[in-house]
Amino acid sequence: MFEVNQNYAKLPGSYLFANIGRKVKAFSEANPDKKIIRLGIGDVTEPLTPAVVKALKDASEDMAHAATFHGYPDYEGAYFLRHAIVENEYKARGLDISEDEIFVNDGAKSDSSDLSDIFSLNNKVAVCDPVYPVYVNTNALCGRAGDYIAATERWSNIIYMPCTEQNAFLPELPTETPDIIYLCFPNNPTGMAITRDQLQVWVDYARKVGAVIIYDDAYEAYITEDNVPHSIYECEGAQECAIEMRSFSKNAGFTGVRLGYTVVPKAIKSAQGDSLNKIWAMHQEMKFNGVSYIIQKAGEAVYSEQGKKETRDMVAFYQNNAKTIVNGLTEAGYTCYGGVNSPYIWLKTPNGMTSWQFFDHLLNTVNVVGTPGSGFGPSGEGFFRLTAFNSQANIKEALERIKNA
Ligand code: PLP
């Protein structure tokens, strides 16, 4: 009789967004006349920009002619896209990243998950708490997280680094030495950013203890402050210890198109002297058949002059929404964090409510959906995440409603 990988069976059953979905569905079935405003899931709401749509159409047309037809793409990504990424994201900032250090993917989620495959199971993982759940769950699935302890909502073999009001939502260097450190800034869910000097401390630490940093930079486009790095490679020595993940989802609105990339510098070496770049190339060659030509052409269009302007405008639209939420909630007496370099606002639940109590309260009284902070980890208890992804009208209406909740 076949057996399943028991690491899958160990995952706790109730997934945050599935729970939210169930509650919202039950509410809307019971109250079909009520308009629900959704500021929960981090999914964009604005349509694709004209430059991207044109590139999608043109690339589809290429596929219709024998002379310009494309079959299997390169597993590491088309050179035209990797070159555009290098020029616009790295060389433009004075950073020396080359095309063969870029691996194109179908969005950051796949690689933030698959990267856990290339490290030894003996490696110890450190994550922020609260955390984007994929880092922990995928390490659990490959057997690196130990056992799930329901009472503490933690895995026995993961180092959790609490990010709380006391430390301004920035992790402190762990007392137990990790081998793999996941950092995500600007952060999901807290919306808080890290300064270049603060990130340098992590890079220095990783080099000292021989750890690798997996830096999730999915929200880079939302950075507004000068002292916040757009790439971890702005820190000295990061090319020897850090992998960077990027996505087209939240800047160019590609959540439904699917495109991202991972930077694996050639200078990173394991304890045995293996090149991580070569190991990752091997992983991709074995497990991945590349991203469709049409989608990669759309990604290239994001870096055209028109594409850059349209992308900036789209991000500015969400940034403005974030500002409206922060200002509105602060005026209404809420304590809010984030929203300055991020589309996420992390607010403190009022009157000592738990995160889920506040969720139920907002859903039932004013029909606004957010995300309970405790769903991202125990240190998220007492907090609530709102996103800037919606129309201006809905954001304004949601704020008025929350003020009266
Ligand atoms: N990383 C973080 C921190 C995210 O919040 C998300 C999506 O919400 C992702 C990665 C996944 O992004 P993608 O759409 O590129 O898979």
Side-chain angles (χ1 to χ4, degrees), residues 379-396:
S379 297
E381 182 57 278
F383 286 88
F384 198 73
R385 192 191 75 175
L386 291 177
T387 87
F389 297 123
N390 214 315
S391 66
Q392 265 170 3
N394 276 347
I395 296 272
K396 287 201 175 122

Side-chain angles (χ1 to χ4, degrees), residues 54-211:
K54 179 171 185 313
L56 285 167
K57 285 183 181 160
D58 289 351
S60 305
E61 193 55 37
D62 288 350
M63 296 296 268
H65 305 283
T68 47
F69 172 77
H70 285 74
Y72 282 122
D74 295 333
Y75 67 84
E76 70 272 36
Y79 185 83
F80 64 75
L81 178 57
R82 288 184 292 128
H83 183 63
I85 291 167
V86 164
E87 292 295 319
N88 290 282
E89 303 288 359
Y90 296 102
K91 288 216 172 120
R93 296 190 186 280
L95 303 175
D96 186 20
I97 294 291
S98 59
E99 286 79 1
D100 54 1
E101 295 175 308
I102 307 278
F103 295 85
V104 174
N105 59 34
D106 66 347
K109 184 174 179 182
S110 311
D111 280 4
S112 65
S113 150
D114 291 350
L115 278 167
S116 62
D117 289 346
I118 64 167
F119 297 103
S120 158
L121 286 184
N122 296 328
N123 283 172
K124 193 99 186 187
V125 167
V127 296
C128 294
D129 168 24
V131 66
Y132 175 58
V134 174
Y135 315 146
V136 175
N137 291 340
T138 55
N139 275 286
L141 290 181
C142 69
R144 196 178 289 110
D147 294 312
Y148 184 70
I149 301 158
T152 56
E153 296 175 49
R154 287 173 189 256
W155 291 84
S156 61
N157 203 33
I158 298 266
I159 301 169
Y160 290 89
M161 305 182 290
C163 297
T164 61
E165 251 181 327
Q166 287 69 41
N167 58 23
F169 303 97
L170 283 180
E172 286 151 40
L173 296 179
T175 43
E176 190 183 350
T177 307
D179 304 296
I180 305 167
I181 302 165
Y182 285 84
L183 294 178
C184 170
F185 289 104
N187 187 263
N188 178 13
T190 67
M192 296 295 272
I194 194 166
T195 67
R196 203 169 287 107
D197 291 347
Q198 287 164 336
L199 188 56
Q200 185 67 57
V201 171
W202 281 92
V203 169
D204 293 345
Y205 171 75
R207 290 177 77 198
K208 188 173 109 201
V209 302

Side-chain angles (χ1 to χ4, degrees), residues 323-394:
K323 205 186 264 177
T324 306
I325 296 175
V326 171
N327 291 345
L329 289 179
T330 308
E331 240 169 64
Y334 284 89
T335 304
C336 293
Y337 299 95
V340 176
N341 297 291
S342 163
Y344 296 127
I345 292 89
W346 191 238
L347 66 103
K348 216 170 160 171
T349 57
N351 310 321
M353 278 190 230
T354 67
S355 300
W356 277 108
Q357 281 169 345
F358 189 58
F359 174 90
D360 289 334
H361 177 67
L362 281 193
L363 177 62
N364 294 323
T365 59
V366 294
N367 323 132
V368 172
V369 178
T371 308
S374 57
F376 298 99
S379 297
E381 182 57 278
F383 286 88
F384 198 73
R385 192 191 75 175
L386 291 177
T387 87
F389 297 123
N390 214 315
S391 66
Q392 265 170 3
N394 276 347

Side-chain angles (χ1 to χ4, degrees), residues 42 106-110 112 132 135 184 188 216 218-219 246-250 255 258-260 344:
D106 66 347
K109 184 174 179 182
S110 311
S112 65
Y132 175 58
Y135 315 146
C184 170
N188 178 13
D216 189 338
Y219 296 94
R246 294 280 194 103
S247 169
F248 286 77
S249 285
K250 311 296 164 85
T255 54
R258 311 306 304 139
L259 188 67
Y344 296 127

Side-chain angles (χ1 to χ4, degrees), residues 75-76 104-106 283-291:
Y75 67 84
E76 70 272 36
V104 174
N105 59 34
D106 66 347
H283 176 279
Q284 293 302 82
E285 186 179 356
M286 296 299 136
K287 294 201 169 190
F288 189 56
N289 249 351
V291 173

